[in-house]
Amino acid sequence: VYVSKIELRGFKSFGNKKTVLPLSPGLTAIVGPNGCGKSNVIEAFSFVLGQLSAKTMRAEKFSDLIFNGGNGGRAAPFAEVSLYLDNSRGELPVDAKTVKISRRVSRNGKCAYWINNKRVPRQRVIELLGGIISSAGGYNFIMQGDVDRFIKMSSLERRRIVDDMA
Amino acid sequence: VYVSKIELRGFKSFGNKKTVLPLSPGLTAIVGPNGCGKSNVIEAFSFVLGQLSAKTMRAEKFSDLIFNGGNGGRAAPFAEVSLYLDNSRGELPVDAKTVKISRRVSRNGKCAYWINNKRVPRQRVIELLGGIISSAGGYNFIMQGDVDRFIKMSSLERRRIVDDMA
Amino acid sequence: KTEVFMETFDKISKNFTKIFETLSPGGTAELVLENPNAPLEGGLEIEARPAGKRVLRADAMSGGEKALTAVAFIFALQRVKPATIYVMDEIDAHLDPQNLKRVAKMLKESSKKSQTIVATLRDPVMSAADRLFGVNMDKNGESHIVSVELTGTK
Amino acid sequence: KTEVFMETFDKISKNFTKIFETLSPGGTAELVLENPNAPLEGGLEIEARPAGKRVLRADAMSGGEKALTAVAFIFALQRVKPATIYVMDEIDAHLDPQNLKRVAKMLKESSKKSQTIVATLRDPVMSAADRLFGVNMDKNGESHIVSVELTGTK
Ligand SMILES: Nc1ncnc2c1ncn2[C@@H]1O[C@H](COP(=O)(O)OP(=O)(O)OP(=O)(O)O)[C@@H](O)[C@H]1O
Ligand SMILES: Nc1ncnc2c1ncn2[C@@H]1O[C@H](COP(=O)(O)OP(=O)(O)OP(=O)(O)O)[C@@H](O)[C@H]1O
Ligand SMILES: [Mg+2]
Ligand SMILES: [Mg+2]
């Protein structure tokens, strides 16, 4: 399973016009000047995979994730991210070569999820991804500043990390 | 006034053989791989200018600043740093074109200071340097990690910084 | 309970040492339990011996050595619970060019098994990538993806 | 007491805005007292408007924007109590190449008045220097200064 595409619409600094990033296996680097939106792209992955803490995406509440119009533009009506998974090897329990997972947050702060454009409860998405993508309890997401936290960690905190993985 | 030379002997990762860095006005960059000793050079400036906190030089006690022999070598008997100030414009109240300030820490943790090779109390060095070099209460020394502390500062801590300068 | 801990600890520990030795050639490091008989009553220390140096507790190392050790630890945790995608944001601060090159090479290697997305400001990581996305912010505060560079087979 | 504070605050504030505008062309920033009538009863906030963006409280900025703002603040403090020598250790982490170039340029400029010694891992700062010292650690854990490059007049 790998991600073949991610689409952002109205998500953080990305406007209401859909932004598409086609992806392939291997190593992809996201580059650009300070403040251009790299971490926002990283957070889009976290968001669509079900992140429940707005704080880890640097938002006080979920509706803060919605494009606010920038400099005198219009705010977006909602923030939506879609992740396309290549399922050509049939590893996911979905009868389709591509599995599209979408999440939207509306101005009232409520979130909705879809799998292949069919509305589903969040739990369905979490079950689908299971150990394949979002390795619960693993460290496949390393956000900006996490390495510094690892550096400053006390020996007890470090041992607790191993605890949590056991 | 500017520093024309700094000499390190037995200071941190610098061995018992004197290490000499000739300097001039303008911008000097100290470069090299992680762990090679750049910050140790920076701390040598802080040390010779009278730094009283061993902690800011990443030492638990002052004798930790003495070269410990590295990998199977012999430890140095003491750590000594000498700073040479160009006084050709007579800005310092010393009757000499060059003013040499030295500080040594011995294995018993005691420190001694010299001005032009004449033993003096620390206070004499502090008075001599006054606002010229070690701008007390200023921020002319920025140690590794200080920028991160400024980033994480609360608004009260930031206001207190201005307080301290006032 | 302690058995489950020790099983996981051993896996992470072996991976950590292997990874550190690759990132710091000539050096070695290990995870050390403060209380080996009652691991859950103590902490977990990192003891590292970079090439040509004596053993240092991790807090005695230089800024960049600490960063490299932390990255090695994170990679070791990832090996224990492998995922099909890794998403990492700027893990390369504080690393000198040589250490950075080795981290970039390791990212490249492991990306052959697990799709890896990294945000970075630094050249060696950019050059190791198979694909590059440039992000830009326009005068209206809106982000755009401005370049997609497929570097083909590397 | 408050007067002395306000006098210092105004100096730092003017310097900070000027420095930020140079490091972030097209942008501006200011120091804002939480309690302007009783400054000592409140904190001090930084409000920055990078080029093309709306005003952000410093904590809402990106990692690199926060670092640039912190560097501008440190430089502003230095202008208020000038010294004849500045010694700085790796102030360039988290900055992208363009921001880094402007910080290096500013270090170069101010070094014409005040001798400046910086430890750095990054090229733009190295290239701005008049003199370069390379430090190396040998197999016995001993540091040596391996190169002195006087780059003449630049
Ligand atoms: N809801 C939103 N609407 C509009 N813009 C937003 C929103 N949330 C965040 N932003 C903007 O996104 C920008 C930060 O982007 P981001 O943190 O991704 O930068 P970055 O490329 O990671 O930078 P750095 O290299 O410094 O880490 C800020 O300018 C912020 O104002
Ligand atoms: N008293 C001492 N005797 C011998 N070696 C020492 C002593 N004190 C520190 N060291 C060594 O100095 C080294 C650290 O040097 P330093 O912190 O200056 O590196 P650096 O060049 O600043 O690295 P970085 O780029 O990662 O910040 C460590 O290897 C440490 O073991
Ligand atoms: Mg970022
Ligand atoms: Mg250092």
Side-chain angles (χ1 to χ4, degrees), chain B residues 12 34-35 37-40 58 64 66 68 144, chain C residues 53 62 64:
Chain B
K12 300 200 78 184
N34 293 134
K38 302 181 294 298
S39 295
N40 292 342
R58 297 173 296 155
D64 290 344
I66 304 172
N68 62 20
Q144 193 164 355
Chain C
K53 297 190 179 185
S62 77

Side-chain angles (χ1 to χ4, degrees), chain B residues 32-36 38 58 60 68-73 144 148, chain C residues 49 52-54 57 60-65 94-96 98-99:
Chain B
N34 293 134
C36 69
K38 302 181 294 298
R58 297 173 296 155
E60 282 187 25
N68 62 20
N71 234 11
Q144 193 164 355
D148 284 326
Chain C
R49 188 187 59 66
K53 297 190 179 185
R54 45 165 72 172
R57 238 194 38 238
M61 302 172 86
S62 77
E65 289 173 328
H94 314 302
L95 300 177
D96 68 48
Q98 294 104 314
N99 278 333

Side-chain angles (χ1 to χ4, degrees), chain A residues 150-162:
Chain A
F150 270 85
I151 292 171
K152 296 197 174 74
M153 220 170 256
S154 73
S155 68
L156 275 169
E157 291 171 303
R158 204 176 287 124
R159 194 262 304 147
R160 270 188 220 118
I161 282 196
V162 176

Side-chain angles (χ1 to χ4, degrees), chain B residues 54-67:
Chain B
K55 223 159 157 275
T56 58
M57 296 181 283
R58 297 173 296 155
E60 282 187 25
K61 47 195 195 302
F62 276 95
S63 52
D64 290 344
L65 297 173
I66 304 172
F67 177 67

Side-chain angles (χ1 to χ4, degrees), chain A residues 33-35 58 68 70-71 144, chain D residues 52-54 62 64 94-96 99:
Chain A
N34 294 133
R58 297 173 296 156
N68 62 20
N71 232 11
Q144 193 165 355
Chain D
K53 297 189 182 189
R54 43 165 74 172
S62 76
H94 314 303
L95 300 177
D96 68 48
N99 278 333

